[in-house]
Amino acid sequence: MRSFAIFLGLIAFGLAGIAVFAYPAWELTQALGFDFRFHRVGSRVAMLTLLVGFVLVARWLKVADKASLGYGVPRREFLRQLARGVVLGVLLMLPVLATMILLDMRDLRPGVAPGALGWTKLALTGLVTGLVVAFIEETFLRGAMMTAIARESGYLRAIVLTSLVYAATHFIGRYKNDDHVGWGSGLDLLSGTLASFAHPAAILDAFACLAGVGVLLGMVRARTGHIGACIGLHAGWVAVIFVVRETSMRNPTGPATWMLSDYDGFIGWMVLAWIVVLGFILARIYPARVAPPATGR
């Protein structure tokens, strides 16, 4: 649990960077003649703070090597598993989409009728977005963090704890406070960023669903010994969600729409039910091959 506490401290350190450094950084950009929005400067400060902290923590906990980060297989095999994961991710979303259609949970956006070029552009944009998001999140969570926790407490705890963190990070919102910027704006930005956690009942369905996704990805990481398949699956799921959200919207009058979360109109109780099914499928596709690492160091 020591490693888990350290990574939580790292996340808190990144968030604290918003309160402490956002305003001075914004002042610096203004002095240099850049007219950046305050919330954008604050988010970049948090990312930079987290990146610097991550490098230091990874070295401290001895999880900065390729194997610990989840890249400990030959490049060709890694890329093969990644590509396979993308295809599987897209295919495994088909029953979810079919359920949405059958239960009239989403409607096409007015005027949406993209041709072949439009669909191709949407798919490629979604895939690139998914790969970027997956690379960052999987390296941090299913790579360094999961390895560190698993060494101390085994894979089961590592999967559960990283899944909870994975779910929680999705509710660190994009709050904007670009008017009347001052020394207190950094703290105000941090408060707004964490506002979702003040209403836990409102995010329960989305949180449970995202935690379930985290469990699936953690299971795949534990069974394969690397994050290639995790990146692929994650990217495939993000790509599908991107295309669906760009071309359709939640149907507010649908009889089963309550099973879609207000978080993004896509995940929720219905998707969580499918996650259980997908877990059995992925367990067959990725049989257990990697023994849990020895506890301690």
Side-chain angles (χ1 to χ4, degrees):
M1 299 297 286
R2 170 177 168 270
S3 294
F4 178 61
I6 291 172
F7 272 98
L8 284 186
L10 171 59
I11 295 171
F13 176 67
L15 292 172
I18 297 176
V20 177
F21 301 118
Y23 180 69
W26 180 81
E27 280 283 309
L28 178 61
T29 62
Q30 295 294 303
L32 294 174
F34 299 105
D35 190 23
F36 295 141
R37 297 281 187 176
F38 180 74
H39 76 278
R40 290 189 177 277
V41 175
S43 66
R44 299 305 183 274
V45 165
M47 291 177 187
L48 181 60
T49 305
L50 189 61
L51 176 60
V52 172
F54 175 73
V55 172
L56 296 176
V57 165
R59 290 180 177 178
W60 180 25
L61 295 178
K62 295 182 174 57
V63 291
D65 59 285
K66 288 178 64 176
S68 296
L69 291 173
Y71 297 89
V73 291
R75 181 181 301 176
R76 179 173 296 183
E77 174 64 12
F78 185 90
L79 293 176
R80 187 182 75 83
Q81 290 290 341
L82 190 156
R84 183 190 184 207
V86 170
V87 175
L88 280 172
V90 173
L91 292 177
L92 291 174
M93 289 294 280
L94 294 181
V96 175
L97 298 181
T99 304
M100 288 183 178
I101 294 172
L102 290 173
L103 297 181
D104 195 24
M105 302 172 86
R106 295 187 68 90
D107 292 327
L108 282 176
R109 293 187 181 276
V112 171
L117 183 60
W119 282 111
T120 301
K121 182 179 178 180
L122 274 174
L124 288 176
T125 302
L127 180 58
V128 171
T129 301
L131 287 171
V132 172
V133 170
F135 171 76
I136 295 171
E137 294 185 356
E138 296 307 313
T139 301
F140 183 92
L141 291 165
R142 254 70 62 175
M145 187 176 185
M146 186 168 169
T147 297
I149 297 172
R151 284 176 182 172
E152 294 179 349
S153 308
Y155 270 128
L156 180 58
R157 284 190 181 181
I159 290 171
V160 171
L161 293 175
T162 54
S163 298
L164 293 175
V165 173
Y166 170 74
T169 57
H170 285 77
F171 299 97
I172 299 176
R174 296 181 177 181
Y175 178 72
K176 298 180 181 180
N177 61 334
D178 298 323
D179 299 325
H180 309 295
V181 177
W183 279 103
S185 296
L187 190 59
D188 180 52
L189 180 60
L190 176 60
S191 176
T193 296
L194 300 175
S196 294
F197 296 103
H199 308 282
I203 64 173
L204 178 60
D205 52 353
F207 188 95
C209 185
L210 288 165
V213 172
V215 169
L216 293 186
L217 293 170
M219 177 188 71
V220 172
R221 164 69 165 96
R223 285 169 174 257
T224 61
H226 59 84
I227 62 171
C230 298
I231 292 176
L233 288 165
H234 195 157
W237 292 336
V238 170
V240 171
I241 292 173
F242 175 86
V243 173
V244 170
R245 293 185 63 191
E246 287 294 310
T247 56
S248 68
M249 56 187 179
R250 185 182 182 188
N251 177 11
T253 62
T257 303
W258 62 271
M259 289 191 286
L260 299 182
S261 173
D262 291 333
Y263 168 72
D264 66 351
F266 189 98
I267 62 175
W269 299 123
M270 185 273 289
V271 177
L272 180 60
W274 271 111
I275 284 174
V276 176
V277 178
L278 298 184
F280 286 103
I281 296 173
L282 288 174
R284 295 293 299 272
I285 295 174
Y286 297 103
R289 299 174 184 175
V290 180
T295 301
R297 263 175 277 215

